[in-house]
Amino acid sequence: MPLSTSHDRFLYFQAVLFGYLVAFAFSDTIFSNNPCDGLCVPLAQCRSDFGSVNLVDLRFSSDDVEVLCNHYLEVCCPKEDVIPVVRDVKQGCELAPIKTFRDCGIRNQDGIGFHIIHANQNETEFGEFPWVIAIMQTEESQVELTEPSSKYICGGSLIAPNVVLTAAHCVMNQNPETLIARAGEWDIMTKNEVLDYQEQRVEQVIFHPNFHHELLFHNLALLVLENPFVANEHIQLICLPPQNLAFNSNSCFATGWGKADFVSENSQAILKKIQLPMVSKHDCQSALKTTNLGPKFRLHESFICAGGQDGVDTCTGDGGSPLMCPVPGFQNKYYQAGIVAWGIGCGQTDIPGVYVRNSLHTEWIKEEIRKINTGDIGVFTKSEIDE
């Protein structure tokens, strides 16, 4: 996913200065010319902290400064301050206080547990968009293993505790038994985040009845999970828009772990975000006619468009990830306006990306979830029902 370069310079330099001051003040804990005389543990496993929120600079490496710990999400912690890890043998994960699903679509703009300080403003904060799902695939031979190895194949969003929304093209050729939904993920190359991700196996895939396998009309699918996710600060639900709601905001966001561009070999490790303007159907169709689609191209009603800025776009591997637009009258609250579907190249000037039009399908989605859940799992928040 190419990166946007716009940011608030004053806030950025203020944050960087504060980060350096914190690093200097606690240099005995963070950086030193001496080896760590405690234990290197993840941030959340040390009682010693650097204030209300830890600051992490992704730019620091062994070339910049000698660090006490080898990983950017670890700190050198005095042995007496190390918090023991209590693990649930059956689930294989750390026990945490059970929380509830809050009102849907609330973005954690400042992240959870720590802030990242860096020159590139397109990494998301940890837990910033707590409904984003990484869809993983296991090998057929590993389906019965307790902790099978898996690879990232697509993005998705959590719309109910046991239902993930994604693009149909991402999973149309997959065996549901090999699919795993991962919630609360941030950096797919580490497990050192302050809160653990959760994984659930996919029990069933429900395709929209009008999905067209070749032309990708009505390109959406629901992944029904074997068990619901447990709510936490970094695992929450996204709001579905009212049926047929139109979006025209210039402040929508798309997220994903996809490639930066077609020539990149690998997906990106840390969940990225890009800010995109919505593009009208007329303007989008006119732009796409100038591509190899030709002058007779017609944009189907099940699509919407966003973007068209040079180097700012979703790309290969972002399929199924959510496009989110602000809910008018609410701060940091978002509807899922679309699903990453397809595009002509990545980040071409004046060529928008194409997304599934979620609001055309809201009633179908809700009806399917009502069929799945018989009332024992809360699906929608009160604000969604009222709308």
Side-chain angles (χ1 to χ4, degrees):
M1 183 184 301
L3 306 179
S4 170
T5 58
S6 60
H7 62 276
D8 188 324
R9 293 181 180 276
F10 173 76
L11 291 178
Y12 166 68
F13 286 117
Q14 185 182 51
V16 171
L17 177 59
F18 180 59
Y20 289 153
L21 290 175
V22 170
F24 177 78
F26 294 89
S27 57
D28 289 341
T29 306
I30 309 177
F31 308 113
S32 171
N33 291 324
N34 299 316
C36 174
D37 57 2
L39 293 176
C40 286
V41 297
L43 293 172
Q45 224 178 305
C46 186
R47 292 189 181 90
S48 299
D49 58 28
F50 316 135
S52 59
V53 178
N54 291 321
L55 299 175
V56 172
D57 194 329
L58 302 183
R59 296 170 304 171
F60 283 130
S61 70
S62 59
D63 295 331
D64 300 320
V65 49
E66 186 171 349
V67 295
L68 292 181
C69 299
N70 292 329
H71 196 278
Y72 72 95
L73 287 179
E74 289 185 344
V75 293
C76 180
C77 188
K79 294 180 180 179
E80 62 272 17
D81 288 333
V82 174
I83 301 172
V85 177
V86 179
R87 293 188 177 273
D88 183 333
V89 175
K90 181 178 179 181
Q91 296 297 327
C93 61
E94 292 185 20
L95 299 176
I98 295 177
K99 299 178 175 65
T100 59
F101 286 101
R102 303 186 300 263
D103 193 15
C104 62
I106 302 300
R107 173 189 175 196
N108 298 312
Q109 187 169 358
D110 296 326
I112 298 170
F114 63 91
H115 287 311
I116 51 176
I117 302 173
H118 48 13
N120 177 356
Q121 294 298 296
N122 286 272
E123 281 94 356
T124 59
E125 297 287 349
F126 174 72
E128 183 174 354
F129 298 98
W131 47 80
V132 175
I133 298 292
I135 299 173
M136 317 296 290
Q137 182 185 44
T138 65
E139 297 295 334
E140 296 274 354
S141 60
Q142 296 179 321
V143 171
E144 300 300 326
L145 297 181
T146 303
E147 293 187 11
S149 61
S150 56
K151 63 177 181 179
Y152 169 81
I153 62 169
C154 236
S157 57
L158 194 62
I159 58 174
N162 63 332
V163 181
V164 171
L165 177 63
T166 188
H169 79 264
C170 290
V171 294
M172 65 181 183
N173 296 319
Q174 305 295 338
N175 177 357
E177 294 183 354
T178 67
L179 297 179
I180 293 175
R182 181 181 292 179
E185 179 62 284
W186 181 64
D187 184 340
I188 60 177
M189 301 301 293
T190 183
K191 293 184 178 180
N192 286 342
E193 289 96 337
V194 296
L195 295 171
D196 285 349
Y197 61 71
Q198 298 176 28
E199 288 188 339
Q200 294 294 342
R201 291 187 178 275
V202 174
E203 184 177 74
Q204 180 186 8
V205 178
I206 302 174
F207 295 94
H208 192 278
N210 296 324
F211 170 53
H212 194 294
H213 291 68
E214 295 178 352
L215 300 178
L216 302 183
F217 300 157
H218 305 284
N219 183 12
L220 67 159
L222 304 178
L223 308 185
V224 184
L225 309 179
E226 288 187 352
N227 297 291
F229 285 113
V230 177
N232 210 324
E233 295 298 318
H234 65 322
I235 301 176
Q236 294 291 323
L237 308 180
I238 181 61
C239 297
L240 296 175
Q243 183 75 15
N244 294 322
L245 180 67
F247 293 92
N248 55 17
S249 173
N250 290 324
S251 301
C252 300
F253 286 95
T255 58
W257 287 277
K259 296 180 180 180
D261 49 53
F262 277 148
V263 299
S264 297
E265 294 184 1
N266 301 311
S267 298
Q268 297 175 113
I270 295 176
L271 180 65
K272 299 296 191 295
K273 64 183 176 187
I274 54 172
Q275 186 168 337
L276 299 169
M278 298 302 298
V279 178
S280 70
K281 179 178 180 179
H282 175 271
D283 290 346
C284 182
Q285 183 172 274
S286 297
L288 293 174
K289 285 182 179 181
T290 67
T291 70
N292 56 8
L293 295 173
K296 294 183 179 181
F297 173 76
R298 297 292 182 270
L299 187 68
H300 192 262
E301 65 170 354
S302 64
F303 296 125
I304 55 176
C305 301
Q309 300 162 305
D310 181 34
V312 183
D313 200 0
T314 49
C315 200
T316 305
D318 289 324
S321 300
L323 170 70
M324 305 150 288
C325 295
V327 177
F330 292 85
Q331 185 176 8
N332 286 326
K333 182 179 174 72
Y334 289 80
Y335 286 129
Q336 183 170 346
I339 306 169
V340 177
W342 57 274
I344 305 298
C346 297
Q348 295 188 51
T349 304
D350 296 329
I351 305 297
V354 181
Y355 300 77
V356 178
R357 181 185 167 197
N358 269 20
S359 68
L360 181 67
H361 307 95
T362 297
E363 290 305 319
W364 175 80
I365 294 172
K366 289 187 176 182
E367 181 58 30
E368 290 300 318
I369 295 179
R370 291 187 181 100
K371 293 177 184 177
I372 296 165
N373 298 323
T374 58
D376 54 337
I377 296 178
V379 176
F380 303 109
T381 63
K382 183 176 184 300
S383 64
E384 286 181 281
I385 296 173
D386 291 343
E387 290 165 350

